Amino acid sequence: ADLTKNLPGATFEVQDENGDVVRTVYNETLRWTTTADALVKTITGLKDGSYQLVETKAPTGYTIADPISFIVEKGKIYRSVDGEQAEIDTIAMEDQATEVTISKTDITTEKELPGATLQVLKKVTGEDEAETEEVVTTIYGEKLEWKSTGEPKNIKGLPAGEYILRESAAPDGYTVAADVTFTVTDELKAVETVEMQDAPIETVISKVDMADTAKELPGATLQILKKVMAEDGTTSEEIAVTVYGEKLQWISGEEAKE
């Protein structure tokens, strides 16, 4: 769990076996929200019985924890530990930060694709009610703008809401992908994976007879060259290579080259 200190902003209830919120013998309704000044709740006057501590709202950027069952008997508190009831004096509930994995892949190979500039954005409405987009920052202060690598990006602490994954620059040889929208909830569940795929730039080379442009002309040796500049400022030409490692030198056939 990501809990390293008590968290403000969590709303709790103590419920009985029927799911009803409990009142103590002092008529206190056991529903409260933690604040910076009241992170720990002390309860007195709880009758004997079986109860659950239930988190109904998690702090921003966290998921709602599973309920914790406990028993009060003759003024003492018990919880099940390894199948046996153990006496305790404190109930600690730990919240996990929300977690999302961003996967940037090649649409053909489905392998992780390095070199893409990515952002996670959210829509915000200003005082003039105009809607804009801004780069999101997690609860840990990480601004979500990065370049993809050979590994998926793991993001923790994204507040619940709707987001846009945007590619602002594609790797060399690829086209910029369309935006991907996704939603983060405060429900405790498996890590969500958001995938964005890039397609390579496609070019068709057609070699035809001038007298019959509808017909491919086989047998021509062709190259695609690119200019390169040396350290001394001189330029030369070299055969281009695709992102898949294909050297672009071939003999034309009866079909166009893709």
Side-chain angles (χ1 to χ4, degrees):
D2 294 304
L3 182 66
T4 57
K5 60 182 180 180
N6 292 322
L7 294 172
T11 300
F12 295 102
E13 294 178 350
V14 175
Q15 299 178 357
D16 61 20
E17 292 179 297
N18 298 319
D20 296 325
V21 179
V22 174
R23 284 178 175 271
T24 68
V25 295
Y26 301 110
N27 208 34
E28 179 189 4
T29 301
L30 294 181
R31 180 189 291 119
W32 70 96
T33 299
T34 58
T35 66
D37 297 323
L39 295 171
V40 178
K41 173 73 172 176
T42 300
I43 299 172
T44 55
L46 197 55
K47 298 177 182 178
D48 286 0
S50 297
Y51 301 97
Q52 278 198 123
L53 175 63
V54 178
E55 184 176 30
T56 58
K57 181 180 178 297
T60 298
Y62 289 86
T63 57
I64 293 175
D66 290 332
I68 295 176
S69 298
F70 64 97
I71 294 171
V72 175
E73 186 176 316
K74 296 180 180 179
K76 295 182 178 180
I77 304 172
Y78 297 89
R79 275 193 67 189
S80 178
V81 178
D82 297 328
E84 296 185 2
Q85 294 298 323
E87 184 180 350
I88 60 172
D89 56 11
T90 301
I91 299 173
M93 178 175 279
E94 295 187 351
D95 279 356
Q96 292 182 344
T98 61
E99 194 167 353
V100 177
T101 297
I102 305 294
S103 178
K104 181 64 176 174
T105 59
D106 179 302
I107 197 170
T108 303
T109 65
E110 296 188 347
K111 293 181 179 179
E112 291 295 320
L113 183 62
T117 301
L118 303 172
Q119 299 173 316
V120 175
L121 306 170
K122 67 176 179 180
K123 293 183 178 180
V124 293
T125 303
E127 294 181 359
D128 59 356
E129 298 188 355
E131 193 173 64
T132 59
E133 295 172 347
E134 65 179 28
V135 179
V136 177
T137 301
T138 70
I139 61 172
Y140 300 116
E142 180 187 6
K143 192 172 183 180
L144 294 179
E145 187 169 26
W146 72 98
K147 273 198 172 183
S148 63
T149 66
E151 299 291 335
K153 179 168 178 66
N154 186 257
I155 299 171
K156 290 185 177 182
L158 200 55
E162 294 186 354
Y163 297 96
I164 302 163
L165 174 62
R166 176 168 296 163
E167 181 176 35
S168 56
D172 290 343
Y174 290 86
T175 58
V176 173
D179 290 351
V180 175
T181 58
F182 64 98
T183 301
V184 174
T185 71
D186 59 6
E187 297 175 3
L188 182 60
K189 58 182 181 181
V191 178
E192 180 182 359
T193 297
V194 179
E195 186 175 20
M196 175 181 277
Q197 294 186 319
D198 273 3
I201 297 170
E202 293 187 3
T203 303
V204 176
I205 306 295
S206 182
K207 180 64 175 176
V208 297
D209 187 321
M210 289 184 64
D212 185 4
T213 56
K215 186 178 180 180
E216 291 293 320
L217 182 62
T221 300
L222 303 172
Q223 297 175 325
I224 294 179
L225 305 173
K226 68 174 182 179
K227 289 185 176 181
V228 293
M229 182 175 290
E231 291 182 0
D232 61 2
T234 59
T235 60
S236 60
E237 295 178 340
E238 65 180 29
I239 298 173
V241 178
T242 71
V243 295
Y244 300 121
E246 180 188 2
K247 196 172 184 179
L248 294 176
Q249 178 175 277
W250 72 100
I251 296 175
S252 63
E254 295 182 355
E255 293 183 357
K257 170 77 172 173
E258 293 186 2

